């Protein structure tokens, strides 16, 4: 029996990835005036949904007693997201691909999703706390 169920591990990983995405977006905003800078994007929802359905990126199995054991991150922790360059259409003279309005919209949407996941996780912890208090 585990106290932290699959949903809590999924929410934990979602918060980690949303935080990483926030750093990528903040880097794009900070480099809005840097000549030649190319905006980046961290995507992870497809990987996270695959992991939720049980299709993890890497599945290791020890079929012999002399095989090395499975070490390192497992389950949702294997989802790391994909960092890619944002495709740019027409570049300005400084060859910077950051669209400030688009980055600010991404920043707002990501913060909203982060807060939603944090709120759900807090409610799960409150439920566990209530169960512990009621058991006394």
């Amino acid at each position: 029996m585990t106290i932290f169920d699959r949903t809590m591990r999924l929410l934990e990983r979602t918060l980690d990835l949303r935080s990483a995405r926030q750093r990528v977006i903040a880097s794009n905003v900070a480099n809005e005036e840097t000549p030649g800078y190319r905006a980046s994007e961290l995507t992870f929802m497809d990987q996270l949904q695959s992991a939720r359905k049980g299709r993890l990126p890497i599945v290791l199995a020890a079929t012999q007693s002399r095989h090395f054991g499975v070490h390192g991150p497992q389950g949702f922790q294997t989802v790391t997201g994909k960092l890619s360059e944002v495709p740019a259409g027409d570049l300005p003279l400084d060859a910077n691909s950051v669209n400030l309005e688009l980055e600010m919209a991404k920043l707002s949407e990501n913060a909203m999703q982060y807060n939603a996941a944090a709120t759900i996780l807090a409610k799960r912890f409150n439920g566990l706390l209530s169960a512990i208090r009621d058991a006394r």
Side-chain angles (χ1 to χ4, degrees):
M1 180 177 149
T2 61
I3 292 177
F4 303 116
D5 64 359
R6 185 177 163 87
T7 302
M8 293 179 85
R9 290 192 307 268
L10 176 64
L11 288 168
E12 174 192 1
R13 191 65 191 150
T14 300
L15 290 176
D16 291 343
L17 291 167
R18 290 268 170 218
S19 178
R21 186 165 195 257
Q22 197 80 357
R23 286 190 299 273
V24 169
I25 296 169
S27 177
N28 289 342
V29 170
N31 287 292
E32 194 258 340
E33 295 290 328
T34 304
Y37 182 81
R38 303 284 189 211
S40 299
E41 176 82 31
L42 179 67
T43 56
F44 55 85
M45 287 306 294
D46 290 341
Q47 290 179 4
L48 210 52
Q49 287 178 354
S50 291
R52 187 179 61 82
K53 293 175 183 172
R55 295 186 302 238
L56 295 170
I58 298 172
V59 177
L60 300 177
T63 56
Q64 296 286 327
S65 62
R66 294 173 44 189
H67 283 171
F68 290 109
V70 179
H71 299 288
Q74 298 176 8
F76 295 117
Q77 297 301 320
T78 59
V79 177
T80 57
K82 180 181 176 187
L83 186 63
S84 59
E85 187 175 298
V86 175
D90 297 329
L91 291 175
L93 291 176
D94 66 354
N96 184 312
S97 67
V98 175
N99 180 333
L100 191 57
E101 290 82 18
L102 183 62
E103 296 300 325
M104 295 307 287
K106 288 179 189 176
L107 199 69
S108 176
E109 185 267 342
N110 193 57
M112 185 178 65
Q113 295 289 334
Y114 182 93
N115 288 336
T119 300
I120 294 169
L121 191 58
K123 288 187 184 286
R124 299 293 296 241
F125 278 119
N126 284 338
L128 283 174
L129 191 59
S130 293
I132 292 169
R133 285 184 180 146
D134 290 344
R136 291 185 193 176

